Amino acid sequence: MSDTVLSIRELSVEIPTHTGIVKPVDGVSYDICAGEILGIVGESGAGKSMAGNAVIGLLSPPAHIAAGEIWLNGSRIDALEGEDMRRLRGKQIGMVFQDPLTSLNPLLSIGDQLTETMLTHLDISRGEADRRAIAALEEVGIPGAAERIDSYPHEFSGGMRQRVVIALALCAEPSLIIADEPTTALDVSVQAQIIALLKRLCRDRGTAVMLITHDMGVIAEAADRVGVMYAGRLVELGAVRDVLTAPQHPYTHGLMASTPLASQGKARLHQIEGAMPRLNKVPEGCPFHPRCAYARDKCRVAPGPKIADGRTACWFPLVAEKAS
Amino acid sequence: MLAYIIRRIVQSALVLLVVGLTAFSMFRFVGDPIDNMLGQERTAADIERLREQLGLDQSFPVQYFKFLQEAAQGNFGMSYRQGRPVAEILMERAPATLELAAVSGALAIIFGIAFGVFTAIRRNGFLANFIMSASLVGVSLPTFLIGILLIYIFSVELGWLPSFGRGDTVQIGGWSTGLLTATGLKALILPSITLGLYQMTLIMRLVRSEMLEVLRQDYIRFARARGLHDRAINFRHALKNTMVPVITVIGLQLGAIIAFAIITETVFQWPGVGLLFINAVQFVDIPVMAAYLMLISVMFVGINLIVDILYFFIDPRLRVDRAGGH
């Protein structure tokens, strides 16, 4: 694909702890193109949010990028610090957080928060910022935007607040949006609206989106491609249709079988035996091998192949008939 | 909002009534003022007559009711010791205490917030850690000891600042101020540091812990993710949220500054209402004690009322909730 916006190469994030170094992200590589939505899916603690935080430079110490490269629009950003990184945030990378109830400052009106963001990044006048703030609210579907510009966050419902958050993330027109579980805290009825909104805005503007979620339904609904993470590694990456209907990594297969969406009609949902290893006890070889029904000797010693060469980091990818 | 304020004022009046009742009933155990007022050659008839004259022979509820009735008209009776109207004595002494309390309070708030924010933002910096450790001294040393230490260093050893009194004062209307003369200002330095140090360290530690809490909030992360300047994040987003609980404590502490000025005024022989109260206790000067306590409680209640009104301006969530009424 053309117009690569974000390119992550062999990214590793490390956290030094008392008991040794933990690697919440371990050698992950993927690209996102303009206008594309890449879903990143995985269990809690699989490292999906960590990778997002690493891209926007918001890892909370002592977590840090230990290896790898992050490229944004052709320039390398993983080593940027302080002011240089701050200028990127909001301007080139926007972020949407999980909980709209807590991500807006309760003491500032939403208009103030919008204009403040625009005035920080764009060379425009106060009046122009005010005008654009109203336009931004209209764009995300807030009814009566002009009257509500001076309202405070508590005067909005959860879904409306997430719309405001999206307006805030997009107001300086970044080329990449990192949406970290943007619908998890919302009512089911509102989730679809928010996903549709995010999808529409990014299509229209050609914004690249990293959509981090544990919800396969959201992925199926919104993403173009999907990356599956397990214990800090990317285990499968491919077009949504392919990964969802014909998973090649046994973990993805198990994940799909345990999702109501994919296993409609079956009496019971599948369970993957065992639990994801703690990050300080990731086993040798392929991290999934202790739970994998297809594991062979090679899986116990050698970590899976680099995903760049194929679709999955599995030595013995499942073929279609085995997966069904 | 107006209804809320009126409700608060009515509540405040009730609080004052209760404080007055408590204070008044305590005075019965302080001692008998007659002993101090009459000399050695008193007769039983003298005692009886004076007791009747002062109204001390009447029952407690009657005395309290009379006191309230008079106080409502601004008349707090005559001081037993000085033989002058209490209101007049208080008016004469109040400026000294209020100026001392205002300067101490301003020092405590300004430095307390500044140090608190600094130590929160530079959490692991050397200077921040030093300030935090030093603040333990302010919290743990008793006020009178700080006062005496300051006097020893700056008055006795260095001879820079006066160790007692207010210096020269200037009369403006009914208000005697020490803020306009050089000696008056010099005399203010040590007492106001003594009085404000504890409050400063308290405010500082509170601001620091609240600020650290606020800096962990999602909206601060979101503000960072939007690429706002550090200054905007720290002062516009974080400090404003920090101030909501801090203002409550500051309000209470300002009241405490006025009330606990007694100790500082005693150490520095500061001619304020605190010193007046201590002398009144020794002499069992009931009208002065009662008026002093009422004055202090009026200030406490008044400051708390102001604090509650300040919330409206800081926190928009209250505006809606309270205006809706409940």
Side-chain angles (χ1 to χ4, degrees), chain A residues 28-55:
Chain A
V28 168
S29 305
Y30 50 76
D31 293 342
I32 310 180
C33 297
E36 183 191 37
I37 298 181
L38 174 69
I40 299 291
V41 71
E43 297 170 49
S44 308
K48 28 189 220 308
S49 296
M50 270 301 174
N53 288 339
V55 170

PDB file of all heavy atoms in Angstrom, chain A residues 28-55:
ATOM      1  N   VAL A  28       7.943  -5.897  17.936  1.00  0.00           N
ATOM      2  CA  VAL A  28       6.716  -5.756  17.145  1.00  0.00           C
ATOM      3  C   VAL A  28       6.962  -4.846  15.943  1.00  0.00           C
ATOM      4  O   VAL A  28       7.588  -3.805  16.068  1.00  0.00           O
ATOM      5  CB  VAL A  28       5.585  -5.183  18.029  1.00  0.00           C
ATOM      6  CG1 VAL A  28       4.408  -4.746  17.184  1.00  0.00           C
ATOM      7  CG2 VAL A  28       5.163  -6.199  19.066  1.00  0.00           C
ATOM      8  N   SER A  29       6.487  -5.257  14.781  1.00  0.00           N
ATOM      9  CA  SER A  29       6.590  -4.430  13.568  1.00  0.00           C
ATOM     10  C   SER A  29       5.234  -4.356  12.885  1.00  0.00           C
ATOM     11  O   SER A  29       4.564  -5.378  12.730  1.00  0.00           O
ATOM     12  CB  SER A  29       7.584  -5.049  12.566  1.00  0.00           C
ATOM     13  OG  SER A  29       8.824  -5.266  13.166  1.00  0.00           O
ATOM     14  N   TYR A  30       4.816  -3.158  12.519  1.00  0.00           N
ATOM     15  CA  TYR A  30       3.672  -3.018  11.606  1.00  0.00           C
ATOM     16  C   TYR A  30       3.627  -1.629  11.001  1.00  0.00           C
ATOM     17  O   TYR A  30       4.287  -0.707  11.486  1.00  0.00           O
ATOM     18  CB  TYR A  30       2.336  -3.377  12.266  1.00  0.00           C
ATOM     19  CG  TYR A  30       2.001  -2.740  13.593  1.00  0.00           C
ATOM     20  CD1 TYR A  30       1.590  -1.417  13.660  1.00  0.00           C
ATOM     21  CD2 TYR A  30       2.051  -3.479  14.776  1.00  0.00           C
ATOM     22  CE1 TYR A  30       1.248  -0.847  14.882  1.00  0.00           C
ATOM     23  CE2 TYR A  30       1.719  -2.909  15.996  1.00  0.00           C
ATOM     24  CZ  TYR A  30       1.310  -1.594  16.052  1.00  0.00           C
ATOM     25  OH  TYR A  30       0.977  -1.037  17.245  1.00  0.00           O
ATOM     26  N   ASP A  31       2.889  -1.495   9.918  1.00  0.00           N
ATOM     27  CA  ASP A  31       2.732  -0.210   9.239  1.00  0.00           C
ATOM     28  C   ASP A  31       1.256   0.166   9.247  1.00  0.00           C
ATOM     29  O   ASP A  31       0.393  -0.703   9.281  1.00  0.00           O
ATOM     30  CB  ASP A  31       3.142  -0.318   7.763  1.00  0.00           C
ATOM     31  CG  ASP A  31       4.634  -0.583   7.623  1.00  0.00           C
ATOM     32  OD1 ASP A  31       5.365  -0.339   8.594  1.00  0.00           O
ATOM     33  OD2 ASP A  31       5.042  -1.042   6.540  1.00  0.00           O
ATOM     34  N   ILE A  32       0.981   1.453   9.216  1.00  0.00           N
ATOM     35  CA  ILE A  32      -0.394   1.909   8.991  1.00  0.00           C
ATOM     36  C   ILE A  32      -0.355   2.957   7.895  1.00  0.00           C
ATOM     37  O   ILE A  32       0.477   3.873   7.924  1.00  0.00           O
ATOM     38  CB  ILE A  32      -1.036   2.515  10.250  1.00  0.00           C
ATOM     39  CG1 ILE A  32      -0.860   1.577  11.447  1.00  0.00           C
ATOM     40  CG2 ILE A  32      -2.517   2.774  10.013  1.00  0.00           C
ATOM     41  CD1 ILE A  32      -1.463   2.119  12.725  1.00  0.00           C
ATOM     42  N   CYS A  33      -1.241   2.820   6.914  1.00  0.00           N
ATOM     43  CA  CYS A  33      -1.269   3.758   5.795  1.00  0.00           C
ATOM     44  C   CYS A  33      -2.317   4.837   6.023  1.00  0.00           C
ATOM     45  O   CYS A  33      -3.204   4.689   6.860  1.00  0.00           O
ATOM     46  CB  CYS A  33      -1.605   3.020   4.500  1.00  0.00           C
ATOM     47  SG  CYS A  33      -0.350   1.821   4.089  1.00  0.00           S
ATOM     48  N   ALA A  34      -2.209   5.897   5.253  1.00  0.00           N
ATOM     49  CA  ALA A  34      -3.193   6.973   5.325  1.00  0.00           C
ATOM     50  C   ALA A  34      -4.583   6.412   5.043  1.00  0.00           C
ATOM     51  O   ALA A  34      -4.765   5.626   4.110  1.00  0.00           O
ATOM     52  CB  ALA A  34      -2.831   8.055   4.314  1.00  0.00           C
ATOM     53  N   GLY A  35      -5.543   6.800   5.859  1.00  0.00           N
ATOM     54  CA  GLY A  35      -6.918   6.371   5.650  1.00  0.00           C
ATOM     55  C   GLY A  35      -7.193   4.938   6.063  1.00  0.00           C
ATOM     56  O   GLY A  35      -8.318   4.463   5.930  1.00  0.00           O
ATOM     57  N   GLU A  36      -6.188   4.273   6.581  1.00  0.00           N
ATOM     58  CA  GLU A  36      -6.372   2.880   6.959  1.00  0.00           C
ATOM     59  C   GLU A  36      -6.627   2.757   8.462  1.00  0.00           C
ATOM     60  O   GLU A  36      -6.076   3.515   9.263  1.00  0.00           O
ATOM     61  CB  GLU A  36      -5.109   2.091   6.604  1.00  0.00           C
ATOM     62  CG  GLU A  36      -5.247   0.611   6.901  1.00  0.00           C
ATOM     63  CD  GLU A  36      -3.911  -0.129   6.805  1.00  0.00           C
ATOM     64  OE1 GLU A  36      -2.875   0.430   7.192  1.00  0.00           O
ATOM     65  OE2 GLU A  36      -3.923  -1.268   6.335  1.00  0.00           O
ATOM     66  N   ILE A  37      -7.454   1.800   8.842  1.00  0.00           N
ATOM     67  CA  ILE A  37      -7.664   1.522  10.254  1.00  0.00           C
ATOM     68  C   ILE A  37      -7.045   0.168  10.571  1.00  0.00           C
ATOM     69  O   ILE A  37      -7.471  -0.853  10.038  1.00  0.00           O
ATOM     70  CB  ILE A  37      -9.164   1.516  10.611  1.00  0.00           C
ATOM     71  CG1 ILE A  37      -9.770   2.898  10.333  1.00  0.00           C
ATOM     72  CG2 ILE A  37      -9.357   1.143  12.072  1.00  0.00           C
ATOM     73  CD1 ILE A  37     -11.243   3.014  10.669  1.00  0.00           C
ATOM     74  N   LEU A  38      -6.012   0.189  11.397  1.00  0.00           N
ATOM     75  CA  LEU A  38      -5.381  -1.061  11.804  1.00  0.00           C
ATOM     76  C   LEU A  38      -5.876  -1.395  13.212  1.00  0.00           C
ATOM     77  O   LEU A  38      -5.677  -0.615  14.146  1.00  0.00           O
ATOM     78  CB  LEU A  38      -3.862  -0.922  11.812  1.00  0.00           C
ATOM     79  CG  LEU A  38      -3.113  -2.149  12.369  1.00  0.00           C
ATOM     80  CD1 LEU A  38      -3.227  -3.334  11.424  1.00  0.00           C
ATOM     81  CD2 LEU A  38      -1.654  -1.830  12.647  1.00  0.00           C
ATOM     82  N   GLY A  39      -6.533  -2.519  13.345  1.00  0.00           N
ATOM     83  CA  GLY A  39      -6.973  -2.948  14.667  1.00  0.00           C
ATOM     84  C   GLY A  39      -5.861  -3.708  15.354  1.00  0.00           C
ATOM     85  O   GLY A  39      -5.178  -4.514  14.723  1.00  0.00           O
ATOM     86  N   ILE A  40      -5.646  -3.414  16.643  1.00  0.00           N
ATOM     87  CA  ILE A  40      -4.688  -4.187  17.422  1.00  0.00           C
ATOM     88  C   ILE A  40      -5.507  -4.861  18.515  1.00  0.00           C
ATOM     89  O   ILE A  40      -6.172  -4.187  19.308  1.00  0.00           O
ATOM     90  CB  ILE A  40      -3.612  -3.286  18.056  1.00  0.00           C
ATOM     91  CG1 ILE A  40      -2.814  -2.550  16.976  1.00  0.00           C
ATOM     92  CG2 ILE A  40      -2.682  -4.112  18.936  1.00  0.00           C
ATOM     93  CD1 ILE A  40      -1.929  -3.429  16.136  1.00  0.00           C
ATOM     94  N   VAL A  41      -5.470  -6.197  18.514  1.00  0.00           N
ATOM     95  CA  VAL A  41      -6.349  -6.901  19.424  1.00  0.00           C
ATOM     96  C   VAL A  41      -5.516  -7.830  20.298  1.00  0.00           C
ATOM     97  O   VAL A  41      -4.421  -8.248  19.919  1.00  0.00           O
ATOM     98  CB  VAL A  41      -7.441  -7.658  18.616  1.00  0.00           C
ATOM     99  CG1 VAL A  41      -6.864  -8.836  17.880  1.00  0.00           C
ATOM    100  CG2 VAL A  41      -8.591  -8.078  19.495  1.00  0.00           C
ATOM    101  N   GLY A  42      -6.019  -8.131  21.473  1.00  0.00           N
ATOM    102  CA  GLY A  42      -5.302  -9.009  22.389  1.00  0.00           C
ATOM    103  C   GLY A  42      -5.896  -8.910  23.770  1.00  0.00           C
ATOM    104  O   GLY A  42      -6.738  -8.056  24.032  1.00  0.00           O
ATOM    105  N   GLU A  43      -5.452  -9.817  24.656  1.00  0.00           N
ATOM    106  CA  GLU A  43      -5.977  -9.791  26.024  1.00  0.00           C
ATOM    107  C   GLU A  43      -5.382  -8.612  26.793  1.00  0.00           C
ATOM    108  O   GLU A  43      -4.424  -7.986  26.355  1.00  0.00           O
ATOM    109  CB  GLU A  43      -5.570 -11.080  26.760  1.00  0.00           C
ATOM    110  CG  GLU A  43      -6.146 -12.335  26.160  1.00  0.00           C
ATOM    111  CD  GLU A  43      -5.508 -13.574  26.780  1.00  0.00           C
ATOM    112  OE1 GLU A  43      -5.448 -13.641  28.012  1.00  0.00           O
ATOM    113  OE2 GLU A  43      -5.081 -14.448  26.030  1.00  0.00           O
ATOM    114  N   SER A  44      -5.901  -8.378  27.992  1.00  0.00           N
ATOM    115  CA  SER A  44      -5.298  -7.378  28.864  1.00  0.00           C
ATOM    116  C   SER A  44      -3.861  -7.798  29.149  1.00  0.00           C
ATOM    117  O   SER A  44      -3.597  -8.961  29.417  1.00  0.00           O
ATOM    118  CB  SER A  44      -6.036  -7.314  30.194  1.00  0.00           C
ATOM    119  OG  SER A  44      -7.394  -7.159  29.968  1.00  0.00           O
ATOM    120  N   GLY A  45      -2.955  -6.859  29.058  1.00  0.00           N
ATOM    121  CA  GLY A  45      -1.565  -7.170  29.371  1.00  0.00           C
ATOM    122  C   GLY A  45      -0.800  -7.740  28.211  1.00  0.00           C
ATOM    123  O   GLY A  45       0.355  -8.124  28.345  1.00  0.00           O
ATOM    124  N   ALA A  46      -1.427  -7.797  27.029  1.00  0.00           N
ATOM    125  CA  ALA A  46      -0.720  -8.343  25.866  1.00  0.00           C
ATOM    126  C   ALA A  46       0.224  -7.313  25.260  1.00  0.00           C
ATOM    127  O   ALA A  46       1.006  -7.622  24.384  1.00  0.00           O
ATOM    128  CB  ALA A  46      -1.719  -8.819  24.818  1.00  0.00           C
ATOM    129  N   GLY A  47       0.127  -6.065  25.718  1.00  0.00           N
ATOM    130  CA  GLY A  47       1.056  -5.042  25.240  1.00  0.00           C
ATOM    131  C   GLY A  47       0.486  -4.136  24.175  1.00  0.00           C
ATOM    132  O   GLY A  47       1.199  -3.328  23.608  1.00  0.00           O
ATOM    133  N   LYS A  48      -0.824  -4.225  23.924  1.00  0.00           N
ATOM    134  CA  LYS A  48      -1.380  -3.430  22.839  1.00  0.00           C
ATOM    135  C   LYS A  48      -1.373  -1.935  23.164  1.00  0.00           C
ATOM    136  O   LYS A  48      -0.965  -1.124  22.342  1.00  0.00           O
ATOM    137  CB  LYS A  48      -2.793  -3.891  22.435  1.00  0.00           C
ATOM    138  CG  LYS A  48      -3.606  -4.546  23.518  1.00  0.00           C
ATOM    139  CD  LYS A  48      -4.875  -5.143  22.977  1.00  0.00           C
ATOM    140  CE  LYS A  48      -6.045  -4.925  23.928  1.00  0.00           C
ATOM    141  NZ  LYS A  48      -5.789  -5.357  25.304  1.00  0.00           N
ATOM    142  N   SER A  49      -1.758  -1.573  24.393  1.00  0.00           N
ATOM    143  CA  SER A  49      -1.744  -0.152  24.756  1.00  0.00           C
ATOM    144  C   SER A  49      -0.324   0.366  24.892  1.00  0.00           C
ATOM    145  O   SER A  49      -0.043   1.515  24.542  1.00  0.00           O
ATOM    146  CB  SER A  49      -2.466   0.070  26.078  1.00  0.00           C
ATOM    147  OG  SER A  49      -3.813  -0.268  25.943  1.00  0.00           O
ATOM    148  N   MET A  50       0.574  -0.488  25.406  1.00  0.00           N
ATOM    149  CA  MET A  50       1.975  -0.084  25.572  1.00  0.00           C
ATOM    150  C   MET A  50       2.560   0.374  24.243  1.00  0.00           C
ATOM    151  O   MET A  50       3.272   1.369  24.184  1.00  0.00           O
ATOM    152  CB  MET A  50       2.817  -1.272  26.055  1.00  0.00           C
ATOM    153  CG  MET A  50       2.937  -1.441  27.527  1.00  0.00           C
ATOM    154  SD  MET A  50       3.632  -0.087  28.439  1.00  0.00           S
ATOM    155  CE  MET A  50       3.374  -0.739  30.070  1.00  0.00           C
ATOM    156  N   ALA A  51       2.260  -0.366  23.189  1.00  0.00           N
ATOM    157  CA  ALA A  51       2.798  -0.005  21.882  1.00  0.00           C
ATOM    158  C   ALA A  51       2.263   1.361  21.458  1.00  0.00           C
ATOM    159  O   ALA A  51       3.005   2.203  20.965  1.00  0.00           O
ATOM    160  CB  ALA A  51       2.434  -1.077  20.863  1.00  0.00           C
ATOM    161  N   GLY A  52       0.964   1.586  21.712  1.00  0.00           N
ATOM    162  CA  GLY A  52       0.376   2.885  21.386  1.00  0.00           C
ATOM    163  C   GLY A  52       1.014   4.010  22.167  1.00  0.00           C
ATOM    164  O   GLY A  52       1.364   5.055  21.628  1.00  0.00           O
ATOM    165  N   ASN A  53       1.203   3.764  23.474  1.00  0.00           N
ATOM    166  CA  ASN A  53       1.832   4.792  24.313  1.00  0.00           C
ATOM    167  C   ASN A  53       3.259   5.074  23.877  1.00  0.00           C
ATOM    168  O   ASN A  53       3.732   6.209  23.973  1.00  0.00           O
ATOM    169  CB  ASN A  53       1.834   4.346  25.781  1.00  0.00           C
ATOM    170  CG  ASN A  53       0.448   4.401  26.387  1.00  0.00           C
ATOM    171  OD1 ASN A  53      -0.428   5.103  25.880  1.00  0.00           O
ATOM    172  ND2 ASN A  53       0.235   3.651  27.441  1.00  0.00           N
ATOM    173  N   ALA A  54       3.957   4.037  23.421  1.00  0.00           N
ATOM    174  CA  ALA A  54       5.337   4.226  22.963  1.00  0.00           C
ATOM    175  C   ALA A  54       5.350   5.140  21.742  1.00  0.00           C
ATOM    176  O   ALA A  54       6.202   6.018  21.621  1.00  0.00           O
ATOM    177  CB  ALA A  54       5.970   2.881  22.632  1.00  0.00           C
ATOM    178  N   VAL A  55       4.368   4.969  20.844  1.00  0.00           N
ATOM    179  CA  VAL A  55       4.339   5.775  19.628  1.00  0.00           C
ATOM    180  C   VAL A  55       4.137   7.248  19.960  1.00  0.00           C
ATOM    181  O   VAL A  55       4.811   8.127  19.426  1.00  0.00           O
ATOM    182  CB  VAL A  55       3.221   5.283  18.681  1.00  0.00           C
ATOM    183  CG1 VAL A  55       3.026   6.268  17.537  1.00  0.00           C
ATOM    184  CG2 VAL A  55       3.561   3.904  18.142  1.00  0.00           C
TER     185      VAL A  55
END
